[in-house]
């Protein structure tokens, strides 16, 4: 269990890097999620729902955790939940990390199984919630997604633990930034925050407390509607050790 009981979310466009002896490794962002838990020996639960609980991805996460002495457990929903009590399971971990993929499918399945409610209770209890891409969007009100087709579209049925919109892959996918700005300008998305690849946003409760990066020079942004225009401001983005 976590030491710091304040609800905490680390929403990112990063977290995993190429490993030296493993296919993937925990990057500075994921290590920071573990640090935020305050646990001396943190336990991590990985949710790969957005990619259909792909077993290969899950095994890579376990291997990456083992290489740094962090136990990683998989919470799967396919073909059925692999634990009896979702809430107890989540509460037995210090960090919950959500992988990327289809945020639309992720949200539908979480709600179908009541995992959305279990995650809210874990967040309120102080378990650190984190993730990349779909695992960042899910905690917000909405954002842009390629869940429905190769063309990006609007999604507005996020869990809304955080009362903002969220833009991911802000620098690596050319259509993300202009569409995110356009949707906010039109009032279809609420004011929000965006992350370039390798950056993350730390929220305590629903307050943004810092932006961090594991890639030198990368930034996060505040994006707000001003009449019919958009005011986009880079946030002071702190480099993480090892980045």
């Amino acid at each position: 269990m976590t030491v710091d009981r304040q609800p905490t979310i680390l929403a990112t466009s990063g977290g995993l890097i190429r490993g030296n002896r493993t296919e993937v490794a925990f990057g500075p962002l994921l290590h920071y999620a573990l640090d935020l838990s305050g646990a001396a020996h943190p336990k991590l639960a990985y949710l790969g729902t957005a990619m259909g609980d792909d077993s290969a991805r899950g095994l890579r996460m376990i291997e990456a955790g083992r290489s740094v002495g962090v136990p990683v457990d998989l919470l799967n929903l396919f073909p059925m939940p692999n634990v009896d009590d979702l809430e107890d399971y989540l509460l037995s971990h210090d960090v919950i990390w959500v992988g990327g993929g289809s945020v639309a499918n992720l949200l539908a399945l979480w709600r179908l199984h009541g995992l959305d409610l279990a995650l809210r209770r874990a967040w309120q209890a102080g378990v650190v919630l984190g993730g990349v891409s779909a695992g960042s969007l899910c905690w917000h009100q909405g954002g842009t997604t390629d869940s429905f087709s190769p063309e990006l579209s609007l999604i507005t049925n996020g869990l809304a633990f955080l009362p903002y919109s969220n833009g991911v892959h802000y620098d690596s996918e050319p259509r993300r930034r202009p569409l995110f700005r356009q949707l906010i300008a039109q009032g279809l998305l609420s004011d929000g925050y965006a992350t370039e690849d390798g950056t993350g946003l730390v929220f305590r409760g629903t307050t943004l407390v810092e932006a961090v990066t594991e890639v030198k020079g990368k930034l996060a942004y505040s994006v707000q509607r001003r009449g019919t225009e958009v005011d986009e401001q880079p946030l002071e983005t702190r480099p993480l050790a090892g980045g």
Side-chain angles (χ1 to χ4, degrees):
M1 293 300 297
T2 60
V3 175
D4 187 339
R5 292 298 193 182
Q6 190 173 3
T8 301
I9 291 176
L10 175 57
T12 84
S13 291
L16 291 174
I17 61 176
R18 183 174 296 278
N20 291 325
R21 295 180 180 274
T22 58
E23 188 169 345
V24 298
F26 289 3
L29 281 169
L30 213 160
H31 279 290
Y32 193 45
L34 298 168
D35 292 342
L36 288 168
S37 76
H41 304 287
K43 292 176 57 181
L44 184 144
Y46 174 69
L47 278 62
T49 320
M51 288 297 288
D53 292 333
D54 178 68
S55 58
R57 288 173 182 262
L59 289 174
R60 287 196 289 269
M61 282 294 294
I62 292 172
E63 185 180 42
R66 184 182 297 122
S67 70
V68 291
V70 176
V72 175
D73 297 319
L74 308 181
L75 177 55
N76 295 331
L77 297 181
F78 291 90
M80 65 182 73
N82 62 338
V83 298
D84 291 328
D85 190 315
L86 294 171
E87 184 176 339
D88 282 352
Y89 182 85
L90 294 176
L91 289 170
S92 70
H93 292 80
D94 303 292
V95 176
I96 296 165
W97 189 265
V98 180
S102 171
V103 70
N105 291 348
L106 171 155
L107 290 166
L109 283 169
W110 282 3
R111 289 181 167 122
L112 179 65
H113 290 279
L115 188 56
D116 56 330
L117 301 177
L119 283 163
R120 178 176 287 276
R121 286 190 279 269
W123 174 59
Q124 292 169 336
V127 178
V128 174
L129 306 183
V132 54
S133 195
S136 175
L137 284 168
C138 62
W139 314 120
H140 296 77
Q141 290 181 343
T144 60
T145 181
D146 56 4
S147 294
F148 304 106
S149 78
E151 295 297 320
L152 291 175
S153 56
L154 172 68
I155 191 162
T156 59
N157 67 333
L159 298 182
F161 295 180
L162 301 172
Y164 316 107
S165 61
N166 183 227
V168 296
H169 307 307
Y170 215 49
D171 59 335
S172 62
E173 298 182 14
R175 187 72 182 111
R176 291 275 187 180
R177 190 174 202 153
L179 181 59
F180 189 63
R181 290 170 54 94
Q182 175 188 328
L183 293 170
I184 290 177
Q186 293 173 339
L188 298 176
L189 283 176
S190 60
D191 293 349
Y193 299 97
T195 50
E196 294 182 345
D197 282 5
T199 66
L201 303 161
V202 180
F203 296 88
R204 294 289 194 178
T206 59
T207 301
L208 177 69
V209 296
E210 66 174 341
V212 292
T213 181
E214 62 187 9
V215 180
K216 184 177 180 180
K218 292 298 189 78
L219 295 171
Y221 299 85
S222 167
V223 187
Q224 299 183 2
R225 185 183 182 192
R226 296 284 186 264
T228 58
E229 302 296 325
V230 165
D231 179 26
E232 178 183 288
Q233 295 294 330
L235 300 170
E236 182 178 349
T237 307
R238 179 173 66 86
L240 294 170

